[in-house]
Amino acid sequence: MTKPATYADAGVDIDAANRATDKIKELARATFNARTLSEIGSFGGMFDGAFPTMRGPVLVASADGVGTKLKIAFATGVHNTIGRDLVNHCVNDILVQGARPLFFLDYIATGKLAPETITGIVEGIALGCRENGCVLLGGETAEMPGFYADGEYDVAGFIVGVVDQEKVIDGRAIALGDIVLGLPSVGLHTNGYSLARKLFFAAAGYGPETYLDELSDTVGAELLKPHLSYLPALEGLLDQGVIKGLAHITGGGLLENIPRILPEGTSVEIRRDSWPILPVFQLMQRIGSVEDAEMFRTFNMGIGMVIVCAEENTSRIKTHLESSGGACYQIGRVIRGSGEVAIT
């Protein structure tokens, strides 16, 4: 007699998914606040949408992933940092318009569900949500046999925030002579990893466990350094009217992200020597003899967020940022042009 077919025979383990879901519920509940109106497991997450303190609340939403930084997690077996990277990246994307995060949704897909790996990913997501005052409202974990290589997965994040319409930061007030400030990154954040992996692993022949004096760390640890959230640093400035524009420096680097906020008739000139270039970027450039233009178009080069402000507000902004222990560099100026960035 033929044995009855089951979903498990096809590679989907519902019991493993249920074990992971139980842990995910605990992690998500730790991010809930008084505005959370549903439990994890509902078909849709519910959130209180009343904003009585705002005259014109505007919802700002974004979605993103962490790219091939996932390959570093696979190679090192470290899965509890990727989720935090994901949240912080999404927080920064809505922060540039002045929005503070309300809630976050995640999507995790894998070939064979390993509860401990999924739990590690969600631990990082929950930590990132708590640090940014954001509710992990729901998500999806999909087991897709034959779709992903063994031990691999993909993650995506979806965020919704809010800003009062009169406090939206959109770059329209940027004018000639305005100052460009840069907030430092701690590494690659979540972009440029396809080139970074080619340089470190293929060109140089290093492994994730290779210790390099120039980095004072292993290659794997360097490439897993977190994507910073700039919300804590900018929190006290968002409502003060001193920031004309913000640019999150991700894929495309300074060259392609700053133009996204520039009004017609303006460009930006950046002085390369105005902030310290991190050793990881110097090393990669040397390994591959990578041209400057390619480095600045692929990587953040040590600047994770750019602020544009009037010259008279520069000292106020720098003092605020430095008083909380953060660094801030004056890296350039707005000039006449057609929406370009020149590195001089």
Side-chain angles (χ1 to χ4, degrees):
M1 186 175 179
T2 304
K3 178 185 175 184
T6 67
Y7 212 0
D9 295 333
V12 178
D13 189 340
I14 295 176
D15 292 332
N18 289 337
R19 291 196 299 273
T21 299
D22 289 341
K23 183 60 177 177
I24 288 170
K25 287 180 179 178
E26 294 178 24
L27 294 167
R29 284 194 192 103
T31 71
F32 286 4
N33 59 29
R35 302 176 72 97
T36 312
L37 303 179
S38 60
E39 277 286 344
I40 293 294
S42 303
F43 284 99
M46 296 191 295
F47 193 87
D48 182 355
F51 304 99
T53 62
M54 294 186 180
R55 295 177 59 185
V58 176
L59 296 180
V60 184
S62 186
D64 221 313
V66 295
T68 59
K69 188 172 186 175
L70 290 171
K71 287 284 190 180
I72 312 302
F74 305 154
T76 59
V78 177
H79 304 288
N80 62 357
T81 62
I82 286 294
R84 187 181 180 210
D85 291 330
L86 181 65
V87 174
N88 287 346
H89 185 126
C90 290
V91 167
N92 289 338
D93 278 350
I94 64 170
L95 177 63
V96 300
Q97 289 162 299
R100 294 173 174 86
L102 295 172
F103 58 84
F104 188 86
L105 304 168
D106 64 59
Y107 173 78
I108 306 171
T110 185
K112 182 173 178 57
L113 195 149
E116 64 280 2
T117 299
I118 300 300
T119 297
I121 299 168
V122 179
E123 282 177 354
I125 293 172
L127 174 60
C129 285
R130 292 197 305 272
E131 290 176 338
N132 287 286
C134 184
V135 172
L136 177 54
L137 194 59
E140 166 71 355
T141 301
E143 190 172 18
M144 302 165 63
F147 205 83
Y148 294 91
D150 289 346
E152 297 195 353
Y153 53 82
D154 197 9
V155 297
F158 312 87
I159 196 165
V160 174
V162 67
V163 59
D164 206 338
Q165 189 167 12
E166 61 189 18
K167 296 177 181 177
V168 168
I169 299 171
D170 57 15
R172 278 188 280 185
I174 292 173
L176 299 179
D178 283 347
I179 300 299
V180 180
L181 304 174
L183 304 185
S185 69
V186 295
L188 277 68
H189 283 187
T190 52
N191 57 283
Y193 276 83
S194 294
L195 179 55
R197 290 186 300 111
K198 180 176 181 179
L199 294 172
F200 279 116
F201 303 141
Y206 299 138
E209 72 289 345
T210 304
Y211 183 91
L212 298 177
D213 289 337
E214 190 165 351
L215 301 177
S216 301
D217 216 334
T218 65
V219 173
E222 176 67 38
L223 295 182
L224 282 177
K225 283 185 175 178
H227 191 133
L228 297 180
S229 166
Y230 294 97
L231 176 59
L234 295 176
E235 179 61 68
L237 295 170
L238 294 177
D239 298 330
Q240 303 304 310
V242 295
I243 296 176
K244 291 189 176 185
L246 290 168
H248 184 199
I249 309 305
T250 57
L254 291 161
L255 298 180
E256 295 184 10
N257 284 290
I258 294 176
R260 296 165 69 176
I261 64 168
L262 293 178
E264 189 174 349
T266 62
S267 288
V268 161
E269 185 177 71
I270 300 289
R271 298 191 316 277
R272 177 176 176 158
D273 62 352
S274 56
W275 76 93
I277 303 294
L278 298 173
V280 64
F281 299 116
Q282 297 171 336
L283 179 56
M284 287 191 296
Q285 185 166 23
R286 190 166 67 249
I287 288 172
S289 300
V290 185
E291 295 182 354
D292 276 1
E294 189 69 12
M295 290 295 295
F296 277 90
R297 191 176 64 174
T298 304
F299 303 110
N300 64 56
M301 297 302 285
I303 296 295
M305 182 70 77
V306 159
I307 302 170
V308 182
C309 65
E311 188 167 13
E312 60 265 26
N313 290 321
T314 303
S315 295
R316 178 178 172 182
I317 292 173
K318 291 182 70 174
T319 298
H320 171 85
L321 294 169
E322 291 168 357
S323 67
S324 59
C328 176
Y329 306 103
Q330 185 168 326
I331 64 173
R333 184 178 291 271
V334 177
I335 60 174
R336 192 176 305 279
S338 54
E340 299 165 340
V341 173
I343 308 291
T344 62

